[in-house]
Amino acid sequence: MTDNDKGLQVEIKLEDVSKTYVMGEVKVPVLKGLNLEIYKGQLTAILGDSGAGKSTLLNMIGGIDRPTSGRILFGDKDIAQLSDRALTIYRRKNVGFVFQFYNLVATLTALENVEVSTEIADDPMDPSHALDLVQLKDLVSHFPAQMSGGQQQRVAIARALAKQPSLMLCDEPTGALDQQTSVTVLNLLSDLNEKLNTTIVIITHNPNIAKMAHRVVRIGDGKIEKAYVNDHPLKAEEIPW
């Protein structure tokens, strides 16, 4: 599957995807007929206010949750129709997650936190090399409590990266960080995208972060309000904060 204008390969494609949560007799529609293509090797920003449906969309793409209706195509597979076991394999082989609050194991060192990820991957990167890529080779024996928030987030990125996923999904990765540390983390994600050709999706409520993406998708009330190509992505340090 390709973008006819650019010749870009599609990493994952959503066709008429909807998600409705049922709470008792109340139905809450969160995603409403989304059609979206995420392109291989690009950094895509999904932008929207709190409650717009961004995290739900990311969970659909990552195989954490299933849509109520519609198709999510990864290659020729509709991951929405996979069995629970097959969906677990999809996540293990193809997806790396980076969350706002790091989700590191407090009793494990930086190296051991990364090793947790590599133990379930088919063709993992050496954990020490992953930490080297995020500039933490001197902190391999440190526990999360001994590291700053930015350092912990870089461990989380190394953990996701070490699986060598084709798709890295980042949910508000700088939401808990100050401006200077945010720039460091965003520059790191941009470098990984550029040097390793990893497809990266960042969801954020901050419109300035979207300025560093190749493509920007704005979501509101569970629908895509706007999607466009950013012809001149900025570096993180060039973003107005």
Side-chain angles (χ1 to χ4, degrees), residues 22 37 52 60 79 91 106 119 126 146 164 172 195 216:
V22 179
E37 292 179 340
M60 299 290 116
I79 66 171
R91 290 193 302 267
E119 287 173 358
D126 180 85
Q146 297 172 310
Q164 302 204 81
E172 297 280 7
K195 295 175 181 177
V216 180

Side-chain angles (χ1 to χ4, degrees), residues 102-231:
Y102 329 133
N103 288 0
L104 300 180
V105 181
T107 55
L108 299 182
T109 65
L111 183 64
E112 290 167 341
N113 266 282
V114 177
E115 288 174 340
V116 167
S117 175
T118 60
E119 287 173 358
I120 62 172
D122 285 347
D123 183 28
M125 182 184 298
D126 180 85
S128 297
H129 180 55
L131 286 167
D132 192 12
L133 287 175
V134 300
Q135 302 163 16
L136 287 180
K137 64 180 180 180
D138 294 332
L139 300 182
V140 293
S141 298
H142 283 55
F143 291 93
Q146 297 172 310
M147 293 183 283
S148 68
Q151 289 168 337
Q152 290 183 64
Q153 189 60 297
R154 281 190 277 163
V155 174
I157 292 171
R159 179 182 59 191
L161 180 66
K163 291 169 60 177
Q164 302 204 81
S166 58
L167 183 62
M168 186 177 292
L169 306 179
C170 307
D171 190 348
E172 297 280 7
T174 61
L177 305 176
D178 60 40
Q179 177 182 330
Q180 183 176 355
T181 309
S182 294
V183 169
T184 299
V185 168
L186 291 172
N187 266 331
L188 173 60
L189 290 171
S190 182
D191 285 346
L192 295 175
N193 166 252
E194 181 178 341
K195 295 175 181 177
L196 302 181
N197 202 39
T198 304
T199 304
I200 297 179
V201 179
I202 298 176
I203 69 170
T204 179
H205 67 278
N206 186 340
N208 288 325
I209 291 178
K211 295 177 181 179
M212 63 179 286
H214 297 108
R215 288 175 185 261
V216 180
V217 179
R218 177 179 286 277
I219 292 182
D221 192 28
K223 300 178 181 179
I224 294 178
E225 295 180 335
K226 186 178 182 181
Y228 60 93
V229 174
N230 184 4
D231 291 324

